[in-house]
Amino acid sequence: MTTTLPDKTLLLDDIAGLRAAARFVREHDSAALLPLLLPGLDGPDLQVLAGHCRFAHAGLLLFPPDADSLRAQLDACGLDVGTPSHPSVVVRDRLARRHGRDPAELDVRILRPQVYGSAGQRRAVEVFALTVPPHSGLEPIAAYERTRRHEAHLAFEIEHPEPLELRGLCAILLRHGARPDGGGYNPHEDGTVLYFTLPGDAACDYGRLELYARGDHRDTLAAHLDHRDPLDRPRPDARPDMRQPAETLLHLLTGAWTTQALAAFARLGLPDAMDTRTAQRTEDLARPTGTHPRSLATLLRYLAMLGAVAEEQEGFRLTELGALLRADAPGSMRPLALMYGGPFYRSFGGLDHAVRTGQPAFDHIFGENHFDHFARDPQLASLFDQSMAASSRMFEPLPTHPVITAAARAPAAAPATVVDVAGGNGELLGLILTAHPRLRGVLLERPHAVEAARRRLDAAGCGGRCAYCSGDFADVPPGGDVYVLSRVLHDWDDDRCREILRHCARAMPAHADLLVVERLLPVDGSPSLATAWDLHMLCNVGGRERSADHYARLLADAGLDLVGHSPLPLDAYVLHARRAAVPEPDTRRS
């Protein structure tokens, strides 16, 4: 039996914890704090996390005997006693599961009194408050939780996350020793919480980390909860698990419906007709989109289940997830939806052919290969290039790679040149040139893509520092300082990859560097986007994803050495290679 401490001692403990949390929030910032929480975190991974995740608050669970006592605790720590509160669904449910209680018994409130960082950053102490009257049946819960501090955590907020970006950030945390520890969606504030347990060697008294993402991200949450702590799983005596094998398989089998529902949503222009703040009636949406009201309602209800829209009393409202399918959204994923729901969707109907023969299903379905098919249709080719750009956030940290920054420091009299081989519409090269005004660029692509890249780089203000080369891989321009192959090699089989890399090696001066951006297959079988894209490449282009060791062998065959590789967002990596050293001739006499 757990023994409760006297009320006065408990109150003092709460005040001490609250005061320590406020002090911690004032003294730390993201870039300095993250390596303390995840020892070994540095380089691109640290830059990605610190660039996307803002240190927002320290959280703790208090057990005041009444509302007046809670206000007194806040006042004793110099915090605003008038801070509003609302129900905390996530912590209430965690406590209920941990202690086998009915959630209705646990009125957990959440409030966030503001605290300011050393440079004036607006932050908060996140207080979860469960009122525990003296001698009530909740005292054992309070005593247990004070000892274990299960809910104490540090939180990092992502203001406007996109689903793939959010999963990429989670993947970085997992790579550095954090482990999923539950989470939830709070409809009261339209926010998704993902909890992680920090590694045991974290240099911090807080054992948990929270990622807070504004909006409804229940798809990412579901994947996160699949790896959650057993305390967050339903108890054996709870309601039967609704995800039994047959139902799980049924959900998987209907994945095609999800793809087509999202693609139809984009094709019909619904995201552009909807609003993220105000719900609209189905009849009002049907008119501008030229759709059948009752059928539209059926689609929207399904999309609400996916989190792309929210169903409210007044009608349907667009969520932040659904807003990514707007045509004019920054980083719009509409082109991806149209590709995955269009030609790539059709090609997956021939996946069994690809598995039987080793030949792309795309060629079997369309009668020609992926690249020739797109080249004959300018609109489709443009859509494909746009869909590639929609995933460009994977290389956002690339301008800070040491190879790029070293090139940017070259003497002004001889500015360094970055050669982007098969650089698409210039998205990556523009990112690098914008970040480093002293660099020059060369883009090699097909003629139609060169024109699109020229327009993009001119609009970005760096076209004057870029030259363009229309051609194939055999036309890699010589004399560059840094060569980039971004998401190119996975399109091809090993023989073609060796050929491409040999063209690059021949063009590279002895001092030049090669950066290869690709996803890497995990060697331990852990979940990865690379595994999914490996199947996609098999089905559509006959290429493949590879492990780092596999790429090292291909590079070696082309006379290049793999120097190292660093992680990027969305399960991507940048591999750094250089020309292999030529052995000195043996001049000794026999």
Side-chain angles (χ1 to χ4, degrees):
M1 176 67 69
T2 304
T3 303
T4 59
L5 300 173
D7 295 336
K8 184 176 180 181
T9 304
L10 294 179
L11 184 63
L12 291 174
D13 283 351
D14 279 358
I15 290 175
L18 188 58
R19 185 173 288 120
R23 184 170 60 251
F24 191 96
V25 171
R26 292 188 182 100
E27 295 174 353
H28 292 83
D29 59 43
S30 299
L33 181 55
L34 284 165
L36 299 178
L37 307 181
L38 303 166
L41 177 68
D42 58 10
D45 271 4
L46 175 57
Q47 292 163 358
V48 170
L49 284 179
H52 289 80
C53 303
R54 178 181 64 85
F55 178 40
H57 66 256
L60 72 167
L61 177 59
L62 304 181
F63 302 92
D66 51 46
D68 287 341
S69 296
L70 176 60
R71 284 191 286 270
Q73 290 172 338
L74 295 173
D75 187 54
C77 298
L79 302 173
D80 184 3
V81 299
T83 303
S85 70
H86 54 79
S88 173
V89 176
V90 177
V91 171
R92 179 201 66 189
D93 290 349
R94 284 172 59 86
L95 287 175
R97 282 191 289 270
R98 233 179 351 251
H99 297 278
R101 307 295 283 260
D102 183 347
E105 296 180 71
L106 307 174
D107 181 20
V108 182
R109 309 293 294 182
I110 180 173
L111 56 159
R112 296 190 182 94
Q114 285 189 4
V115 174
Y116 291 90
S118 58
Q121 309 97 321
R122 181 176 295 182
R123 298 179 183 150
V125 176
E126 183 172 73
V127 177
F128 302 107
L130 172 63
T131 300
V132 180
H135 314 298
S136 74
L138 300 179
E139 283 189 330
I141 294 178
Y144 175 90
E145 293 293 333
R146 277 198 179 90
T147 304
R148 304 304 195 280
R149 300 183 76 234
H150 282 304
E151 302 307 325
H153 67 273
L154 299 174
F156 293 80
E157 183 171 342
I158 313 165
E159 286 287 346
H160 300 292
E162 298 176 7
L164 287 177
E165 174 188 304
L166 184 55
R167 292 195 182 210
L169 296 173
C170 290
I172 293 175
L173 293 175
L174 295 177
R175 281 200 294 270
H176 291 276
R179 289 292 173 262
D181 186 30
Y185 171 69
N186 191 338
H188 299 287
E189 57 184 37
D190 190 28
T192 304
V193 174
L194 306 174
Y195 285 122
F196 296 82
T197 300
L198 292 171
D201 55 349
C204 179
D205 290 336
Y206 290 85
R208 298 172 69 239
L209 180 147
E210 169 194 323
L211 278 188
Y212 178 81
R214 293 186 184 277
D216 186 342
H217 301 278
R218 275 178 273 194
D219 282 350
T220 303
L221 177 64
H224 180 77
L225 294 181
D226 279 344
H227 303 282
R228 62 189 181 271
D229 187 275
L231 283 173
D232 240 18
R233 299 183 186 275
R235 303 188 316 276
D237 59 340
R239 183 172 63 92
D241 188 358
M242 296 302 291
R243 300 286 287 195
Q244 295 298 326
E247 185 171 349
T248 298
L249 182 58
L250 188 59
H251 277 275
L252 295 173
L253 288 170
T254 58
W257 303 355
T258 296
T259 303
Q260 283 302 331
L262 291 168
F265 187 50
R267 279 194 297 263
L268 294 168
L270 284 159
D272 303 278
M274 296 181 71
D275 191 89
T276 57
R277 293 161 297 183
T278 306
Q280 295 163 271
R281 297 185 311 150
T282 305
E283 294 80 3
D284 295 333
L285 288 170
R287 283 191 292 272
T289 58
T291 53
H292 182 258
R294 183 176 63 79
S295 302
L296 176 58
T298 300
L299 172 63
L300 290 173
R301 281 194 297 271
Y302 184 84
L303 291 166
M305 190 170 66
L306 303 179
V309 302
E311 186 172 8
E312 300 178 353
Q313 188 172 1
E314 300 83 3
F316 292 92
R317 175 180 58 80
L318 189 67
T319 65
E320 291 190 15
L321 184 150
L324 289 173
L325 295 175
R326 281 178 166 167
D328 60 351
S332 171
M333 299 182 77
R334 183 177 186 271
L336 280 175
L338 299 182
M339 289 298 300
Y340 293 161
F344 289 153
Y345 186 88
R346 288 183 61 193
S347 68
F348 260 93
L351 178 60
D352 53 345
H353 170 84
V355 174
R356 277 198 306 267
T357 66
Q359 300 301 312
F362 193 101
D363 300 27
H364 179 64
I365 297 294
F366 291 95
E368 59 186 337
N369 71 54
H370 162 280
F371 297 105
D372 289 344
H373 185 74
F374 287 178
R376 288 194 307 100
D377 185 336
Q379 286 188 324
L380 195 56
S382 176
L383 181 63
F384 175 70
D385 287 339
Q386 291 172 43
S387 70
M388 292 290 287
S391 298
S392 63
R393 55 192 55 80
M394 73 164 52
F395 49 65
E396 281 180 356
L398 205 61
T400 63
H401 191 282
V403 164
I404 301 291
T405 56
R409 291 195 293 267
T417 298
V418 177
V419 180
D420 194 354
V421 179
N425 67 356
E427 180 90 13
L428 173 56
L429 188 57
L431 192 69
I432 292 172
L433 296 182
T434 300
H436 300 289
R438 292 177 57 192
L439 288 177
R440 304 189 67 82
V442 178
L443 185 133
L444 169 68
E445 252 299 357
R446 299 153 294 165
H448 83 273
V450 163
E451 291 310 309
R454 191 190 304 274
R455 291 191 296 271
R456 184 179 195 92
L457 291 167
D458 284 347
C462 49
R465 291 185 282 127
C466 191
Y468 303 90
C469 180
S470 296
D472 200 351
F473 294 113
D475 304 306
V476 176
D481 299 283
V482 180
Y483 286 76
V484 178
L485 279 170
S486 176
R487 298 175 297 172
V488 171
L489 297 180
H490 74 162
D491 287 337
W492 306 99
D493 62 23
D494 283 0
D495 287 341
R496 182 62 164 149
C497 283
R498 293 186 187 96
E499 184 183 344
I500 293 168
L501 291 169
R502 287 183 182 120
H503 287 311
C504 291
R506 280 194 290 269
M508 291 167 60
H511 71 276
D513 297 276
L514 172 65
L515 298 180
V516 177
V517 177
E518 294 288 356
R519 291 189 171 96
L520 296 182
L521 286 173
V523 296
D524 59 358
S526 58
S528 169
L529 288 174
T531 305
W533 256 260
D534 199 23
L535 187 67
H536 174 71
M537 304 315 291
L538 165 70
C539 189
N540 284 285
V541 299
R544 60 187 298 185
E545 305 295 345
R546 299 170 172 88
S547 66
D549 287 344
H550 195 152
Y551 277 117
R553 293 193 296 272
L554 295 177
L555 288 162
D557 290 344
L560 297 162
D561 285 336
L562 178 61
V563 178
H565 59 277
S566 307
L568 295 172
L570 307 182
D571 277 3
Y573 283 81
V574 53
L575 296 92
H576 174 204
R578 302 202 73 178
R579 292 271 298 273
V582 178
E584 293 288 337
D586 191 347
T587 59
R588 294 175 299 173
R589 297 180 182 273
S590 58

